[in-house]
Amino acid sequence: MVPDLRAQYNSNFTTEKYEAFLKELNSKHGTIQFRSAETPVFVPRDFTNQLLSACESIVDVILKPDFKALTQNAIPRELQVLNEDDYPSCITFDFGVCINDQQKLEPQLIEMQAFPTLFAFEVLLDDVFYKHFSAPSHYSSYLNGLDRDSYLKLLKDLLLNGHEPEHVVLLEIFPHQQKTNIDFYCTQEYTGIIPLCVTELIQKGKQLFYLKEGKETRIKRIYNRVIFDELLQQEDWVQEKAKVLFEDLEVEWMPHPNWFYRISKYTLPLIQHPNIPSTQYLDQVEHIPEDLQNYVLKPLFSFAGQGVVIDITPDDIQNIEDPQNWILQKKVTYASVIQTPDEPAKAEIRVFYFWPKNAARPVPANNLVRLSKGKMIGVRYNKDKTWTGGTFGLFER
């Protein structure tokens, strides 16, 4: 994306540097369960401005007085959680690095979620990267003028909200078995918040507790990493333990589970912006487009790319029994623009937005990037390929 920097980085890259980088990265909290790419992505200022313009337009929609009414049907009835707050504490926006009809690079929104991602791990990744590689000083992974210290303060304030760390837990389903567990351990290191499984919750009336060194300790705030859809796929005893989360509890959420559904693919048809592909609810599509090859079909309530239909036929649409739970989205063209030693890679940039307490709007804070050489972004499309996997963007300041 910045040809001079890309050429310079690639010419200075060595396998020995990369292996030393991986060794240190994996030595901190154990072996990372996903592939770490060989390179960051250099993002020029004009591209960043387009990214943030799209994000801000979405925030404008979220701030509209009728947003909750418009998105009420986004939350599955059986998964609605009580005591929802007024705004989402965090939002992540995924953009493909795409090429338009004028053969120019541009970001295009792929999806968004009011749900955490690797907020803490990206700090470790940035730290270790600069021990083994270099980049120009006017490029940074941190956004909005933040640096490592101010970003960690913002993250810590967001997660703790004034509580002592022992009264805040990172809640997940069997956290130590998750592929993203490195982020949980980094979160604990930087903030003092421990990862806790939903099966370890102890309820007493409206209050929740957990055992800390054998002592029942009050939970006042939950850093929620539970995807509630996944609860429905667990064994009965796990679902039974998790039922407590749907009760009227004296606990704060970060973020509240309902926002996971409100700000999602469900929201895309409500937004118009040059960097957001045209999207319709499938049950509101009056005529099937003749150029179906230019569209993608996505289920509203599935994640990590599951169920997406890329090469659509009219039969695919006709055979869908619940069109109200699907969207038809204009297809974007990912650009194979990241030059690597063999074939170029595609990139998807995830921008982190945090909503500080009492702030009028959320602010951009950090990012992660995924590189792919396959048909889609994801591990199963990149087997045995190098210069793919998780990394971060370095944005021109």
Side-chain angles (χ1 to χ4, degrees), residues 124-343:
L124 174 64
L125 183 62
D126 187 88
D127 288 349
V128 176
F129 171 82
Y130 280 103
K131 292 184 180 180
H132 300 275
F133 301 97
S134 61
S137 59
H138 63 294
Y139 280 78
S140 174
S141 61
Y142 300 104
L143 296 164
N144 197 37
L146 297 171
D147 59 16
R148 184 185 192 276
D149 290 344
S150 55
Y151 172 78
L152 280 176
K153 182 181 186 306
L154 183 62
L155 178 62
K156 194 170 183 177
D157 289 347
L158 185 73
L159 299 188
L160 295 178
N161 195 32
H163 298 293
E164 292 299 319
E166 66 175 2
H167 296 301
V168 183
V169 297
L170 185 160
L171 196 66
E172 179 51 291
I173 305 168
F174 304 116
H176 304 291
Q177 299 176 22
Q178 298 291 331
K179 288 185 178 181
T180 54
N181 58 17
I182 180 65
D183 185 67
F184 307 160
Y185 306 142
C186 289
T187 300
Q188 184 171 1
E189 177 185 353
Y190 299 140
T191 69
I193 298 171
I194 67 161
L196 189 77
C197 182
V198 293
T199 61
E200 299 177 86
L201 294 171
I202 301 168
Q203 182 185 14
K204 292 190 173 183
K206 290 188 174 184
Q207 296 181 346
L208 293 179
F209 297 80
Y210 72 102
L211 290 179
K212 180 183 179 184
E213 298 175 354
K215 178 184 176 182
E216 287 189 357
T217 303
R218 173 88 182 275
I219 298 172
K220 297 181 180 179
R221 186 169 175 85
I222 293 174
Y223 176 28
N224 183 47
R225 302 297 291 260
V226 177
I227 294 177
F228 274 56
D229 279 30
E230 292 185 359
L231 282 175
L232 304 180
Q233 301 170 26
Q234 302 300 313
E235 295 181 38
D236 289 345
W237 72 274
V238 178
Q239 293 190 47
E240 190 64 31
K241 290 287 289 186
K243 283 182 179 179
V244 63
L245 299 176
F246 298 95
E247 297 188 20
D248 186 8
L249 300 171
E250 293 176 356
V251 66
E252 300 170 2
W253 292 92
M254 200 316 281
H256 192 281
N258 291 355
W259 284 108
F260 177 82
Y261 299 100
R262 291 190 186 279
I263 300 177
S264 62
K265 291 188 285 287
Y266 193 94
T267 320
L268 291 175
L270 306 178
I271 305 162
Q272 284 78 45
H273 189 276
N275 299 106
I276 300 176
S278 174
T279 307
Q280 293 178 275
Y281 300 116
L282 188 59
D283 64 339
Q284 295 180 14
V285 174
E286 295 182 0
H287 303 287
I288 297 176
E290 293 183 4
D291 59 337
L292 271 180
Q293 72 275 13
N294 293 324
Y295 290 82
V296 61
L297 197 58
K298 296 181 178 181
L300 286 173
F301 305 115
S302 76
F303 309 96
Q306 296 178 10
V308 174
V309 183
I310 299 176
D311 301 313
I312 312 173
T313 67
D315 285 346
D316 290 325
I317 295 178
Q318 298 292 352
N319 292 335
I320 290 177
E321 298 179 356
D322 56 342
Q324 73 278 8
N325 292 328
W326 291 74
I327 55 172
L328 187 66
Q329 186 178 63
K330 198 74 181 288
K331 190 179 288 185
V332 299
T333 304
Y334 280 78
S336 297
V337 70
I338 311 301
Q339 298 301 317
T340 81
D342 46 26
E343 59 182 310

Side-chain angles (χ1 to χ4, degrees), residues 71-115:
T71 57
Q72 190 56 38
N73 290 336
I75 310 168
R77 190 172 304 165
E78 71 276 16
L79 295 178
Q80 294 192 23
V81 175
L82 299 174
N83 303 316
E84 181 180 331
D85 46 11
D86 293 333
Y87 58 81
S89 310
C90 62
I91 313 172
T92 59
F93 302 96
D94 289 354
F95 290 88
V97 177
C98 298
I99 190 163
N100 62 23
D101 293 339
Q102 289 75 45
Q103 299 303 299
K104 292 184 178 180
L105 294 180
E106 65 178 13
Q108 285 290 330
L109 185 76
I110 306 303
E111 62 180 325
M112 56 189 172
Q113 289 179 345
F115 195 73

Side-chain angles (χ1 to χ4, degrees), residues 4-16:
D4 291 345
L5 290 182
R6 170 54 53 209
Q8 182 180 355
Y9 182 89
N10 288 14
S11 66
N12 291 330
F13 178 87
T14 67
T15 301
E16 291 74 22

